[in-house]
Amino acid sequence: MPTRPPRQPAGGQLARRGFLALAGISMAGALAACAGQVTAATGGTKHIRLSTWNIPTDITSYQAIADEFVAEHPGTSVAVEVTTGQFHQWFITRLAADLAPDVIRITPQQIGRYAANGSLVDISGAIPADYRSDYSDPFWAIGAREDGIYGVFQHTDNFITYYNRDVMEQIGVTPPTRLDDAWTWNQFLDVAKEVKQVTGKYAFGYGWSAPETAYRWLPFVYQNGGAFLGEDGATPSMDTPEAIDALAFGRRWYAEGLATTGNLSKSGGGDVSRNLFLTGQIGMMLNNPESIVQLDTDMPDNWGTAPMIRNVGEASDLGGNALAVTKSSKHPELAAELVAMITSRSKMQQFCHDGNWLPARKSLDAADIGYASNSDTMQRFIDQGSTIPLSMVKAESGQYFSSLNAVFADYLDLCLLGQLSPKEASSQMMEAMRSVTAN
């Protein structure tokens, strides 16, 4: 698998140093474009700006697509630039000054807020009709609303189960390989107790990367038949027996010493679980594809993967990014055409190949992408994406989710640490959630 640098956490702290890559436009032209000006030197060129995370491989990929777009659209220039600082602060500041980029790379958890408040524009007129049929209902729902399309999902990622091969051999366990055979919660905890005996420390870790990624724990609520929000995507529903039982399941991780309290949503920066796994302090982790390159380097041939655990139902983390057009764009139709090009099947295939991402389109699998290595593992991630429930996607891509996620992070940690019982955490969480959705 080609080397890729660590991704920035979704919605979290991004690169401190800015980077500007230009396609068909000088630095002076780019600065003029940022101010919404057309200079004499550009001769009336239509400037488009696309913002992405500071991932060099992705910047290069977008640059190549931008070059092709410019060649096909004479009189156009495209600047690829980097989102800096904390996303919401960065984006709101630029929207207020009418200087937001034309095209924004945005996570599912961020898109609902801006689609609802008018910061993103409907791009349905530029999206070919056949795109819809190549997306699952959950993945299409990330950008689709009743009154239009406010973003198109470009790539995804999710969680599966990583394990240390030596540890599994010592306890005599053969991990499952098929989704249908995934460990249930009780089976997973039974294995975890044996793993802890081998490591002498803890059994497993979880792939939070920052407080903003607390939502990565929500799949357990849905695996247990619960929901974060009701069917309307706005009514809090963390007080059901299913949701409370899911919180109780998480509490067991720490009460039984199977996971360390250094690995919580608010103390998971830098991916604590990966470090614990690499140093042998845990023998399993539930995590996304980011760890693969380092595992191949530091513990080659001594790690494997199994499906994400399940209970009465299946679910996994909703990672990845969509592309949307902002209200600041002076050329929204042209910007929407660029989004359509980037999310086309052929461009998605190349982007995922170059960056080791998981495709959002149904018709693309690991063989189509042509990953350089670990193709079986990448296909496992792609297959796991089919378990992400539509109701969870609607909740996470809804207009209130950014604020609700902050509430969830507070009370989830208090519950996992045992400072609140699952029922107490549920009650207090619900009160705080209702205050958010009532505004």
Side-chain angles (χ1 to χ4, degrees), residues 361-383:
R361 285 175 172 264
K362 292 189 298 183
S363 65
L364 290 171
D365 60 17
D368 295 319
I369 301 301
Y371 298 106
S373 62
N374 297 301
S375 183
D376 289 348
T377 296
M378 297 305 284
Q379 185 61 51
R380 175 160 290 134
F381 276 108
I382 292 172
D383 293 341

Side-chain angles (χ1 to χ4, degrees), residues 2 11 21 25 49 57 114 116 223 292 298 312 328 368 405 431 433:
I25 154 179
R49 296 161 50 221
T57 303
Y114 298 106
Q223 288 176 8
I292 292 176
D298 294 356
V312 298
S328 293
D368 295 319
N405 185 44
E431 183 177 355
M433 289 173 68

